[in-house]
Amino acid sequence: MTQQYRTPTGGHITRDTALSFEFEGTLIEGYAGDTLASALLSNGVHHVTTSIKFGRPRGIAAAGSEDPNGLIQITTPIPEPMQLATTVELAPGLSAHGIPGQGTLPTEPDPARYDTAHLHVDLLVIGAGPAGLNAALEAARAGARVALVDEQPLPGGYLLSTPCMIGGANSTEWIAQTAAELAARAVIHLQRTTVFGLYDDGLALAVERRTDHRGSDAAPDSLRQRIWRIRAIRTIVATGAHERPIVFADNDRPGILLAGSARTFLNRFGVRVGDSVTVFTTNDSAYSSAFDLHDAGVHVGAIIDSRLVIGTEWIEGAKIRGIPLHSGSVVTGTSGDNRLTSITLRRFNGTSFGTAESYEADTLLVSGGWNPAVHLYSQAGGMLRYDERLGAFVPHREVDAADVAASRSGTTFVPHREVDALRRPLPRSHEKFVPHTGVDGLAIAGSAAGKFGLREALDSSHKAVREALVDLRLAHSPSRPPEVEEDRDHTPGAVLWFVPSDDPHKLTTHFVDMQRDATVADIAHAISAGLRSVEHVKRYTTIGTAHDQGKTSGTVASGIVAEISGEKMSSLGTTRFRPPYTPVAFAALAGRARGHLFDPVRVTAIHDWHIAHGAEFEDVGQWKRPRYYPRNGEDMHAAVKRETIAARNAVGILDGSTLGKIDVQGPDAAEFLDRIYTNIMSTLKIGSIRYGVMCGVDGMVIDDGTVLRTEEDRFLVYTTTGGAARVLDWLEEWLQTEWPELRVYLSSATEHLVTFPVVGPRSRAVIGELFPDLDASNEAFPFMTWRDTKLANIPVRIARVSFSGELAYEVSVLSWYGLELWTRLIETGAKHGITPYGTEAMHVLRAEKGYPIVGQDTDGTVTPQDLGMSWVVSKKKLDFIGKRSFDRAANRDDTRRQLVGLLPDDPTKLIPEGSQLVTIESLDHATVPITMDGFVTSSYDSHALGSTFALALLVGGSTRLGEKINAVVNGELLPATITNHVLFDQEGVRRDG
Amino acid sequence: MQLIDCPWCGCREEIEFSYGGQAHIPYPDNPAELNDTQWAHYVFFRSNPKGVCAERWVHSAGCRRWFNALRDTCTYHFIETYRIGESPSFTSASLFPVTESQVSVPTEAGDRKTQ
Amino acid sequence: MPMTKPRTPGAELPAHPTFLWESPTPKKRYDVVIVGGGGHGLATAHYLVKNHGITDIAVIERGWLAGGNMARNTTIIRSNYLWDQSTALYEYALQLWEGLEDDLEYPILFSQRGVLNLAHTLQEVRDSHRRVEANKLNGVDAEWVDADGVRELCPLVNTSRDIRYPVLGATYQPRAGIAKHDYVAWGFARKASAAGVHLIQDTSVTGFLTTGNRVTGIRTNRSDISAGRVALAAAGLTSTLTDTLGIRVPIQSRPLQALVSELLEPVHPTVVMSNAVHLYVSQAHKGELVMGAGVDSYTGYGQRGAFHIIERQMAAAVELFPVFARAHLLRSWAGTVDVTPDASPIVGPTPYENLFLNCGWGTGGFKATPGLGVAFAHTIATGTPHRLVAPFSLDRFVSGRLVDEHGAAAVAH
């Protein structure tokens, strides 16, 4: 195609860079600087897609992100569902097609990168139109740290669509000069960046599109989008306004678009939207569009104005150009299949219609007035009020006109005060420079504040920035907003929501929300159904729920509800605006937190050794723990069997470094631990170790582990792997909030120490050989004690504890020496058959001994007594956390579940963990619900027992030893005998070797 | 995301902090002397006011210190933060709502149900 | 212009009936006043009419009908809870859901597309088995599927081993699914209104009128209304009401956020939930992806949450569903969920003999709607707790007989 609708000159496009792109399979040409929409229109293509429900043809209806119609799917270079033709920049390699309301997710992976950046500024200005540019410039001149953020590729906003004189220059020059000065003053100026949400304490979130405009020239793995988290002490919202359509019959045909948007296409993109244009308006602003188009050589067939009284200059302007003006008239219908061909107009006095006249037209420009873009202001909690004059919702707090007048006549000088204070980090307490809260410190300026004239927009921006500078205690010299001509247009017009008829139920082609194919008739039906709330009507009709989130339809829908129901607009209110302002890609919000950065991976000091020796890993919290070490093609079962045999018959070694370790110090450390643990820790002797359980205040087990007394006022507390952080938090909470008088200090030592249990009958030999200074005999080094020794010059601590029932020495060193220690243990143990084992073998060994794992054999509803550990609950202590809860009624229930062992009748059958236990003898004729007596928490195949076995929590379990119970497995009953939870070496003879 | 004014570190991002529920609920002097209802109120029952309330927070990813805060549960905004052991400058009886009369009420419900 | 046929699947939702409900002027007295015009309040009114013949009812709603959590939840319906008491209640509700369209004569779009609860760690696998086995014995359709099974049911899920927390399998409840929340609420409202129930909107209850241990009526911002019985169905606002009577209720009101994408062609055939990464996602009838995250950490009535939770949720979504990378967040919002110490609801009598409590549903309220409606209506009508809600009385916090759904179950939603 030939861009036959391109003007010969003008527009902010690069005419020497032609770009071809594909739309609906056709190769088309546009220019760099075009949007997909402007490039299509330059080739006369209005029809972009069909509607979701009725399949009606739809075209470009606006020039920006408010367009409800121009939905497209991008297929290359980066496939992306549901974009607007008006917001996609033309780029090399672009191909796209229209979509009827649903996008298609690409199936190939997204190779691009996304990240997040943080920014802290004095003033954030959102929107680089005239109001925003002016505010940023004034603030920068006063020395403020400023960020200016704008969603378009180019700064200028309204000025790009509306060439004029400003500050003594033409608007293009003024934009360039201003941008240059902002750059010189180190303002952080982000274009192609949309602030999509305003949050607490001056936080704005924005998304920057960094590479899409480069199309296929950008590397596939480039940093495509960036989320900016901008924390500002003051914020000025200068986001402009959206034009409002008028709803009439068949108002949805391609070729019907907003009047201001047509002006944008003409002046910013050098595109004539049609050959034969008619204008339908309720206000002055559309006249400028009509005149600009006429002056660019477009035939403007008529201006239809719903008002009877129209300003003389507009009447004259139309007359000079020979454009017929129909005052007091409205459009009552349109024709055309895939493009508008004609319109029908009638005189309308508010109640009755005159006779119909038809006009040929391929394009109809519509203006029903303007809605300030108050989305961000509302999101931040700003209240809106309905302005009868504008027919729009505006910020409740307005810039006071009198103040602006004063600022024009001369300014109050704010003396220089502690400007440097601003450069310091944010201070404690509520001084001036803490970022603002909600709408405090948030100003709204320009047409976003309902100041639609350029002059009043600049005035409001001037006022807003001056207030911000006062708040920031920044000195600024007297200044005035840039001089501009008196405002001619954007004076409020008539408020006309829709062209009515006797029965609104019949207005089935009066489209209110085009993307949802929702009409005035739908609203009328909702009201007839008894609905009064706008929220209900919205949900009934689905108006405002589509991609544009009702940017053009929201206020109009409210107006129509008001009109049909006879309610006042002000009492109906508007629905709350919710973030994001425009859609944001999931991947952008996910940022770097994907794959292995989704959550930190924690590994022990000897992780590389585990990898080198073929370990299979298990996720335990954030840790990667070796689960087993298969050799020569072993499966898990074979490997675990080999590992457990080694530990029971020779010697095994485990990397237990992930266990939580907390260094508890201070004169009151013993007293503190007495209050935390269910048993007594204060009587523990230096050099000794005690096992302990801690409970929540509700008396339920939350963690367990061993405690080493290392000094009179110092303990090393071991926690479970998964509980380490939680337990430290728990201890700190009690220490700081309940017992601040206790002199105790807590530090995590989890990462500092590695701990390697050396387990099995030959462990004494290994330890004895590697640590010749240590007497590892049972007499010199008894069970539940610890000793310090050295490996060369490395300090080593060895503890005689056992989580397997075997003779065991847990060897700890600083993590730096972890690999050294581990390899020496392996080397020394080689001749004894030392075998590294993983968590699975560890589980078999501990379960054979009936040692529970908190979180596996408990679920937050289990007491120490339920675990058969009454011995760990002190009867002597007056109190400890959880003690009082043991006396509650539920704790005396004979229906409590207690930890037991299970031996399946068939020793080759493994009862799956999680299996439920029942007493019924057959499932064949059982009716649900079937009573469950408990469930299996741990289950393994034990070489030592020569059988499978399980641990289970069973109702009244401790009184049922020796009885039979059935586990339900795949719909079959698997009989087992209930046993004590300690199944192996009940006498505990093995632990001393 | 709010900024929370840690009394030890100053204003920091909300994600550095953890919430610890209602403040100024002391651990009972002698839990053994409480009846089940009184104990249940200590363990499970907390105020849930719509408006300003006193809460415990901890600067988990910072100094790891617990502190107290007055916060408005409607706006979420922090009115004041203060160290453990300090009193807020803004005080109101509504912040300390637990009274004996309230503690006794659920027992009646329990009694009625089990009759 | 010729009107062509709809070409987009799911574009058109079923039409609503021509009339929904009346907006009457409140009377001075009702037999039963229900405080809260959300799903629970409306369902309770419906079943008071249907099962107990009580029609002199007012449902008092402070805003617009069903505009609270009913309008804000992610519409997941399932009954595969952990404990017998919970399963019994939710399974009863699920059976009612299966006949609700006929009962209400309203197209509630109940789509039994199945729900997958993913397991990412060995402990989650154990917990999942435990729950599935318990569900089966309680008569709930439940099964364990391995990672291949997950891929078959929902090919979008990344079941490769090289993600941070690989999917090891999932519990699957085929009869679970989603429904259209507005349609459900409006179905109940329409039936109730047609039976003469007064649905009173824009009216805030400010307190109660009492004599001795009886509640005689409610105070509102408009006028006092006398009542034979008063039932609370006010979710997170319950404690602000009961505080005025000196009744303490152990709920905490927290923000819970949700979001939708743009409309997309059907890609996601089921509902996927993952506790480990705090995500649940379905694709609604119109085509939007509907997602929820974990509950915000602190008390808040503002119906908004912190955005970093949404960002975290997006990371989880893209991690588990790589094809979602280029979907777009279109709108986010928050409801106020009332959470309890054991993640189970509180339903039943109060120290006031004609005042009935229903709160603490946390994230489970929507799926329980019809079941709770029947049970609460029974409790109100007969003055004794329905067997399904009896375990959920307030006094369990004193006895310690909690129904702790935190432990091993898929807690959220």
Side-chain angles (χ1 to χ4, degrees):
Chain A
M1 292 192 202
T2 56
Q3 303 198 55
Q4 65 273 35
Y5 288 90
R6 191 73 73 176
T7 58
T9 57
H12 299 268
I13 50 171
T14 311
R15 288 176 187 260
D16 50 11
T17 310
L19 291 172
S20 47
F21 64 101
E22 199 180 289
F23 187 74
E24 301 272 351
T26 305
L27 209 59
I28 310 180
E29 202 161 84
Y31 291 126
D34 263 327
T35 62
L36 179 56
S38 68
L40 288 171
L41 292 176
S42 78
N43 290 281
V45 177
H46 274 255
H47 180 189
V48 168
T49 185
T50 52
S51 72
I52 187 163
K53 203 158 132 184
F54 302 135
R56 287 169 70 105
R58 292 284 161 79
I60 307 291
S65 63
E66 74 278 21
D67 183 15
N69 271 358
L71 292 179
I72 53 118
Q73 171 94 21
I74 297 177
T75 48
T76 65
I78 299 180
E80 190 160 11
M82 200 171 289
Q83 296 283 292
L84 282 170
T86 53
T87 60
V88 171
E89 290 183 59
L90 210 57
L94 180 69
S95 81
H97 59 80
I99 48 171
Q102 283 183 346
T104 309
L105 283 175
T107 49
E108 65 268 39
D110 183 358
R113 290 176 297 135
Y114 302 85
D115 77 0
T116 305
H118 293 253
L119 196 55
H120 293 260
V121 294
D122 296 329
L123 178 70
L124 167 64
V125 179
I126 306 169
L133 284 169
N134 179 56
L137 187 61
E138 286 205 43
R141 283 174 176 170
R145 299 174 301 180
V146 179
L148 173 66
V149 179
D150 185 85
E151 67 175 337
Q152 295 291 330
L154 303 171
Y158 166 84
L159 297 175
L160 298 174
S161 310
T162 317
C164 61
M165 295 297 287
I166 173 169
N170 79 44
S171 47
T172 305
E173 286 165 13
W174 185 80
I175 294 166
Q177 285 164 11
T178 306
E181 186 174 344
L182 293 176
R185 292 184 181 277
V187 167
I188 295 158
H189 181 176
L190 301 168
Q191 293 292 149
R192 296 190 173 94
T193 306
T194 306
V195 174
F196 60 82
L198 284 185
Y199 299 88
D200 294 298
D201 295 334
L203 179 68
L205 293 184
V207 58
E208 180 186 12
R209 292 166 293 277
R210 302 179 74 258
T211 59
D212 286 356
H213 62 284
R214 292 169 49 214
S216 50
D217 291 348
D221 66 344
S222 51
L223 179 52
R224 184 174 173 227
Q225 294 182 3
R226 168 172 287 161
I227 299 290
W228 287 90
R229 293 186 186 144
I230 307 168
R231 189 71 80 167
I233 298 172
R234 289 291 177 271
T235 300
I236 293 176
V237 176
T239 45
H242 295 140
E243 196 163 18
R244 195 164 62 223
I246 308 163
V247 177
F248 50 88
D250 293 321
N251 59 331
D252 63 330
R253 294 187 200 283
I256 301 177
L257 68 166
L258 291 168
S261 295
R263 201 180 186 197
T264 298
F265 285 121
L266 180 69
N267 293 322
R268 178 172 157 195
F269 298 104
V271 172
R272 292 175 278 112
V273 291
D275 293 318
S276 170
V277 170
T278 296
V279 178
F280 175 26
T281 186
T282 63
N283 64 87
D284 294 351
S285 71
Y287 285 82
S288 301
S289 298
F291 296 170
D292 281 5
L293 281 165
H294 173 91
D295 298 348
V298 177
H299 171 71
V300 179
I303 297 174
I304 299 155
D305 193 325
S306 70
R307 299 172 298 179
L308 280 169
V309 181
I310 298 162
T312 317
E313 64 176 304
W314 305 118
I315 296 171
E316 288 301 318
K319 199 172 185 178
I320 290 165
R321 291 172 175 85
I323 303 172
L325 175 58
H326 300 267
S327 61
S329 300
V330 295
V331 172
T332 56
T334 69
S335 320
D337 284 340
N338 293 327
R339 178 73 187 265
L340 183 74
T341 54
S342 71
I343 59 115
T344 306
L345 71 91
R346 293 168 189 263
R347 289 191 64 79
F348 178 58
N349 62 11
T351 49
S352 58
F353 290 93
T355 51
E357 277 181 68
S358 280
Y359 269 89
E360 301 281 306
D362 63 13
T363 308
L364 175 63
L365 307 188
V366 180
S367 179
W370 293 79
N371 293 329
V374 291
H375 306 67
L376 293 174
Y377 180 81
S378 168
Q379 278 177 23
M383 299 297 289
L384 304 177
R385 66 177 174 80
Y386 179 67
D387 185 315
E388 299 272 354
R389 196 177 59 108
L390 299 176
F393 290 95
V394 297
H396 202 278
R397 225 182 29 175
E398 270 194 276
V399 176
D400 182 54
D403 289 351
V404 176
S407 81
R408 276 201 177 272
S409 59
T411 50
T412 26
F413 181 73
V414 178
H416 180 98
R417 274 181 298 178
E418 298 169 57
V419 172
D420 285 345
L422 288 171
R423 309 296 173 194
R424 291 204 307 266
L426 294 165
R428 161 163 159 70
S429 89
H430 302 274
E431 293 179 27
K432 291 283 180 217
F433 304 121
V434 173
H436 59 76
T437 295
V439 286
D440 296 336
L442 183 71
I444 186 160
S447 53
K451 306 298 178 190
F452 294 136
L454 180 56
R455 184 167 179 169
E456 58 172 0
L458 289 167
D459 282 350
S460 73
S461 134
H462 186 74
K463 170 90 162 43
V465 75
R466 301 225 133 217
E467 287 178 351
L469 291 173
V470 169
D471 290 347
L472 291 165
R473 298 188 187 167
L474 282 173
H476 53 87
S477 52
S479 72
R480 296 173 185 206
E483 283 304 323
V484 292
E485 288 177 54
E486 284 298 321
D487 293 323
R488 295 185 308 147
D489 67 12
H490 295 308
T491 52
V495 174
L496 177 66
W497 307 115
F498 70 108
V499 176
S501 79
D502 295 342
D503 182 0
H505 293 87
K506 292 180 182 158
L507 303 181
T508 55
T509 65
H510 277 54
F511 289 95
V512 180
D513 187 333
M514 300 204 199
Q515 209 176 119
R516 294 302 310 154
D517 269 342
T519 64
V520 172
D522 294 326
I523 294 178
H525 287 304
I527 292 165
S528 297
L531 303 182
R532 294 293 174 271
S533 154
V534 173
E535 291 285 356
H536 281 145
V537 173
K538 248 185 67 177
R539 285 157 185 275
Y540 186 100
T541 60
T542 73
I543 287 171
T545 63
H547 186 266
D548 62 330
Q549 290 287 292
K551 288 188 179 67
T552 55
S553 61
T555 305
V556 173
S558 295
I560 296 169
V561 171
E563 197 150 320
I564 295 177
S565 67
E567 288 277 337
K568 278 196 159 178
M569 224 18 203
S570 51
S571 62
L572 281 178
T574 179
T575 58
R576 178 81 175 263
F577 291 98
R578 300 192 183 284
Y581 171 64
T582 51
V584 186
F586 284 13
L589 294 169
R592 296 273 186 197
R594 297 169 65 176
H596 286 272
L597 293 178
F598 175 70
D599 201 28
V601 176
R602 297 176 78 184
V603 296
T604 73
I606 55 168
H607 187 70
D608 291 344
W609 190 96
H610 300 318
I611 291 175
H613 290 78
E616 291 288 329
F617 291 90
E618 171 189 3
D619 284 309
V620 182
Q622 292 171 321
W623 292 98
K624 294 283 183 192
R625 296 197 70 180
R627 192 178 180 198
Y628 57 99
Y629 301 82
R631 283 185 194 164
N632 307 325
E634 283 176 330
D635 63 6
M636 185 175 83
H637 185 259
V640 169
K641 182 177 171 188
R642 175 179 48 75
E643 292 171 13
T644 56
I645 290 172
R648 290 267 181 243
N649 298 339
V651 59
I653 182 168
L654 175 77
D655 182 2
S657 306
T658 62
L659 287 177
K661 300 157 209 102
I662 302 169
D663 181 22
V664 181
Q665 299 188 40
D668 298 316
E671 166 67 18
F672 175 68
L673 293 178
D674 275 353
R675 298 184 192 186
I676 294 288
Y677 280 99
T678 59
N679 53 346
I680 300 180
M681 290 297 171
S682 54
T683 56
L684 188 61
K685 292 185 173 58
I686 297 170
S688 287
I689 302 171
R690 193 165 286 167
Y691 171 78
V693 167
M694 48 182 95
C695 291
V697 282
D698 61 356
M700 302 303 161
V701 173
I702 57 171
D703 208 76
D704 71 342
T706 52
V707 178
L708 284 66
R709 191 166 203 165
T710 55
E711 293 167 30
E712 180 58 30
D713 56 0
R714 191 168 187 185
F715 296 80
L716 184 62
V717 166
Y718 276 81
T719 74
T720 60
T721 294
R726 199 172 56 242
V727 170
L728 179 60
D729 288 348
W730 176 250
L731 301 190
E732 288 283 11
E733 178 182 344
W734 285 91
L735 180 61
Q736 293 184 37
T737 69
E738 291 296 339
W739 310 315
E741 72 282 2
L742 294 185
R743 293 160 298 165
V744 179
Y745 307 93
L746 307 167
S747 318
S748 170
T750 303
E751 302 275 0
H752 304 61
L753 297 173
V754 293
T755 299
F756 305 139
V758 179
V759 174
R762 312 294 296 276
S763 60
R764 183 170 286 139
V766 177
I767 295 298
E769 259 178 68
L770 188 58
F771 305 103
D773 297 344
L774 182 75
D775 182 349
S777 71
N778 201 45
E779 296 68 36
F781 190 175
F783 186 58
M784 293 308 260
T785 62
W786 60 267
R787 300 288 180 264
D788 279 348
T789 183
K790 288 199 165 175
L791 176 66
N793 287 320
I794 306 167
V796 174
R797 176 163 295 160
I798 303 180
R800 267 206 61 197
V801 294
S802 178
F803 197 44
S804 59
E806 296 299 323
L807 174 69
Y809 297 82
E810 295 197 356
V811 190
S812 299
V813 290
L814 287 174
S815 296
W816 307 114
Y817 309 114
L819 187 58
E820 171 77 10
L821 172 63
W822 178 269
T823 45
R824 294 291 298 279
L825 284 165
I826 296 279
E827 284 163 18
T828 310
K831 62 176 171 289
H832 302 285
I834 197 164
T835 303
Y837 65 94
T839 52
E840 198 66 24
M842 176 197 80
H843 277 298
V844 176
L845 299 171
R846 65 90 196 167
E848 288 167 347
K849 286 291 294 177
Y851 297 141
I853 296 265
V854 174
Q856 176 172 346
D857 301 293
T858 72
D859 63 0
T861 70
V862 178
T863 64
Q865 297 88 342
D866 297 337
L867 292 173
M869 287 194 196
S870 296
W871 53 269
V872 87
V873 180
S874 168
K875 309 270 185 305
K876 292 183 192 152
K877 285 196 287 185
L878 280 178
D879 194 28
F880 54 82
I881 296 171
K883 180 179 166 74
R884 173 63 185 81
S885 287
F886 295 150
D887 291 333
R888 293 179 306 175
N891 293 64
R892 296 189 296 271
D893 286 349
D894 53 12
T895 53
R896 290 200 73 77
R897 292 175 185 79
Q898 290 151 347
L899 189 71
V900 295
L902 297 178
L903 283 172
D905 287 5
D906 179 346
T908 66
K909 290 260 172 70
L910 186 77
I911 308 173
E913 288 165 346
S915 296
Q916 296 289 331
L917 303 172
V918 299
T919 52
I920 57 167
E921 296 300 326
S922 165
L923 290 172
D924 288 347
H925 300 289
T927 52
V928 294
I930 295 165
T931 304
M932 289 164 258
D933 274 19
F935 61 97
V936 169
T937 58
S938 297
S939 182
Y940 306 97
D941 188 1
S942 166
H943 182 262
L945 297 174
S947 170
T948 58
F949 74 104
L951 298 179
L953 286 167
L954 183 69
V955 169
S958 63
T959 63
R960 297 170 72 173
L961 304 187
E963 292 177 17
K964 290 281 184 185
I965 192 96
N966 291 316
V968 183
V969 180
N970 295 326
E972 305 277 320
L973 294 179
L974 213 144
T977 303
I978 302 165
T979 71
N980 188 286
H981 60 279
V982 184
L983 289 111
F984 182 71
D985 184 27
Q986 291 200 358
E987 303 74 28
V989 297
R990 302 178 67 89
R991 69 163 203 224
D992 290 332
Chain B
M1 174 149 38
Q2 297 196 64
L3 292 175
I4 298 177
D5 190 7
C6 171
W8 303 94
C9 305
C11 286
R12 296 291 186 274
E13 299 266 341
E14 182 182 324
I15 44 166
E16 295 184 15
F17 297 82
S18 305
Y19 175 68
Q22 189 181 2
H24 308 302
I25 309 287
Y27 187 76
D29 284 339
N30 192 347
E33 288 175 358
L34 301 185
N35 65 31
D36 281 358
T37 300
Q38 290 166 326
W39 178 246
H41 275 259
Y42 169 71
V43 177
F44 294 121
F45 288 63
R46 294 292 181 270
S47 292
N48 187 35
K50 206 179 166 196
V52 177
C53 61
E55 300 175 333
R56 305 186 313 161
W57 285 80
V58 58
H59 193 184
S60 331
C63 62
R64 279 181 36 219
R65 296 244 205 183
W66 284 82
F67 60 91
N68 292 324
L70 297 186
R71 192 178 61 89
D72 185 328
T73 60
C74 296
T75 64
Y76 305 174
H77 295 151
F78 285 77
I79 292 154
E80 188 174 352
T81 56
Y82 51 102
R83 297 176 183 183
I84 298 286
E86 291 180 349
S87 297
S89 56
F90 175 89
T91 54
S92 159
S94 68
L95 298 176
F96 308 95
V98 184
T99 64
E100 281 306 310
S101 66
Q102 288 173 324
V103 166
S104 65
V105 170
T107 317
E108 296 163 29
D111 292 343
R112 181 168 292 111
K113 258 214 70 209
T114 51
Q115 273 162 11
Chain C
M1 181 182 352
M3 299 275 268
T4 55
K5 286 195 169 170
R7 54 177 275 195
T8 306
E12 203 165 4
L13 295 172
H16 295 281
T18 51
F19 189 76
L20 290 172
W21 58 76
E22 305 280 355
S23 296
T25 309
K27 297 194 298 176
K28 288 196 184 327
R29 185 189 184 282
Y30 295 90
D31 282 351
V32 177
V33 167
I34 298 170
V35 182
H40 283 198
L42 294 168
T44 301
H46 170 68
Y47 292 111
L48 278 169
V49 173
K50 186 180 172 188
N51 295 352
H52 303 279
I54 298 171
T55 56
D56 187 25
I57 303 169
V59 178
I60 313 292
E61 169 53 47
R62 70 187 181 120
W64 41 285
L65 225 49
N69 289 345
M70 195 64 180
R72 295 159 199 273
N73 73 86
T74 48
T75 79
I76 297 170
I77 294 163
R78 62 183 180 88
S79 65
N80 55 350
Y81 276 67
L82 175 65
W83 297 105
D84 300 348
Q85 302 95 318
S86 315
T87 306
L89 179 52
Y90 286 105
E91 174 57 24
Y92 179 68
L94 180 51
Q95 288 169 18
L96 289 174
W97 278 111
E98 288 171 327
L100 200 57
E101 186 146 325
D102 292 338
D103 181 17
L104 298 180
E105 298 172 281
Y106 209 107
I108 60 166
L109 295 172
F110 180 38
S111 161
Q112 291 178 285
R113 56 182 65 187
V115 171
L116 285 165
N117 294 81
L118 303 182
H120 301 266
T121 65
L122 295 176
Q123 187 54 43
E124 283 194 317
V125 172
R126 290 181 196 105
D127 294 339
S128 300
H129 275 298
R130 175 186 171 191
R131 187 157 50 78
V132 163
E133 294 302 327
N135 287 162
K136 286 179 182 168
L137 296 172
N138 275 318
V140 171
D141 58 320
E143 53 192 278
W144 166 257
V145 293
D146 60 14
D148 290 338
V150 170
R151 191 164 50 241
E152 270 171 40
L153 288 163
C154 187
L156 293 185
V157 176
N158 186 351
T159 49
S160 75
R161 296 286 304 173
D162 60 357
I163 64 171
R164 178 66 185 89
Y165 292 110
V167 174
L168 303 181
T171 68
Y172 182 54
Q173 185 180 18
R175 286 163 62 238
I178 58 172
K180 184 92 177 104
H181 48 2
D182 292 335
Y183 285 50
V184 174
W186 295 5
F188 280 117
R190 186 176 74 109
K191 278 286 178 186
S193 180
V197 173
H198 279 192
L199 307 178
I200 314 292
Q201 303 185 71
D202 295 316
T203 302
S204 295
V205 175
T206 55
F208 299 91
L209 305 166
T210 60
T211 306
N213 68 344
R214 286 187 64 81
V215 170
T216 57
I218 57 167
R219 297 181 180 280
T220 78
N221 61 337
R222 291 163 77 177
S223 63
D224 293 352
I225 297 173
S226 300
R229 275 159 285 188
V230 175
L232 303 183
L237 293 170
T238 303
S239 58
T240 64
L241 295 168
T242 53
D243 280 353
T244 68
L245 292 169
I247 303 171
R248 298 193 80 208
V249 181
I251 60 169
Q252 295 286 301
S253 299
R254 300 266 169 86
L256 176 65
Q257 301 185 75
L259 60 92
V260 290
S261 74
E262 73 269 60
L263 305 192
L264 297 164
E265 285 176 7
V267 288
H268 181 28
T270 178
V271 181
V272 172
M273 305 172 59
S274 167
N275 272 10
V277 300
H278 294 297
L279 177 77
Y280 44 100
V281 55
S282 66
Q283 187 169 19
H285 305 84
K286 285 188 296 172
E288 67 269 37
L289 299 171
V290 182
M291 292 192 189
V295 178
D296 274 39
S297 70
Y298 53 83
T299 307
Y301 288 90
Q303 294 188 327
R304 67 191 179 92
F307 196 77
H308 61 264
I309 291 175
I310 301 267
E311 289 177 308
R312 188 70 194 153
Q313 186 183 353
M314 293 291 86
V318 176
E319 175 80 352
L320 270 183
F321 298 87
V323 303
F324 290 177
R326 297 207 189 105
H328 300 92
L329 166 64
L330 189 65
R331 184 172 72 255
S332 63
W333 66 91
T336 308
V337 294
D338 40 337
V339 298
T340 62
D342 61 355
S344 285
I346 303 169
V347 186
T350 69
Y352 289 85
E353 64 179 34
N354 58 340
L355 177 71
F356 302 92
L357 193 59
N358 169 50
C359 64
W361 286 90
T363 58
F366 177 73
K367 61 183 69 68
T369 300
L372 178 280
V374 168
F376 199 35
H378 172 97
T379 305
I380 296 161
T382 65
T384 47
H386 187 279
R387 65 178 174 83
L388 290 174
V389 294
F392 298 103
S393 67
L394 186 56
D395 66 340
R396 72 178 188 273
F397 298 100
V398 174
S399 68
R401 294 187 184 98
L402 307 187
V403 186
D404 196 339
E405 286 286 339
H406 283 133
V411 179
H413 332 293

